[in-house]
Amino acid sequence: KVKSQLEEKEGKTFDVFTAVEFKTQVVAGTNYFIKVHVGNDEFMHLRVFKSLPQESKPLTLHSYQGSKSKHDELAYF
């Protein structure tokens, strides 16, 4: 659901977009920190926010980090 948001921010499309790892952080909603394979040996770390159910808001790409490798540790940011 956030692939199109990332593509818009990066100004390119991703043929490969596969989540390989994630962590969660409970706030007033939930932050998901997701390691995503975007092709070749490239990975990105995404921070996606999911609001509380009663707010009925869509998932939001809050921030991201590019130029990551498969072995980079997924950390809160």
Side-chain angles (χ1 to χ4, degrees), residues 22-34:
F22 78 96
K23 293 181 178 184
T24 60
Q25 177 186 44
V26 177
V27 290
T30 305
N31 282 322
Y32 291 91
F33 297 88
I34 308 166

Side-chain angles (χ1 to χ4, degrees), residues 11-68:
K12 60 184 176 183
T13 58
F14 297 103
D15 294 330
V16 176
F17 198 81
T18 308
V20 294
E21 181 183 349
F22 78 96
K23 293 181 178 184
T24 60
Q25 177 186 44
V26 177
V27 290
T30 305
N31 282 322
Y32 291 91
F33 297 88
I34 308 166
K35 182 186 292 186
V36 178
H37 180 223
V38 293
N40 299 322
D41 291 330
E42 295 181 50
F43 290 78
M44 298 185 90
H45 293 181
L46 312 182
R47 178 176 169 187
V48 177
F49 179 72
K50 181 178 181 182
S51 64
L52 295 170
Q54 62 269 27
E55 294 179 347
S56 299
K57 293 182 180 175
L59 290 175
T60 306
L61 177 62
H62 184 274
S63 55
Y64 64 96
Q65 299 173 338
S67 302
K68 296 292 186 176

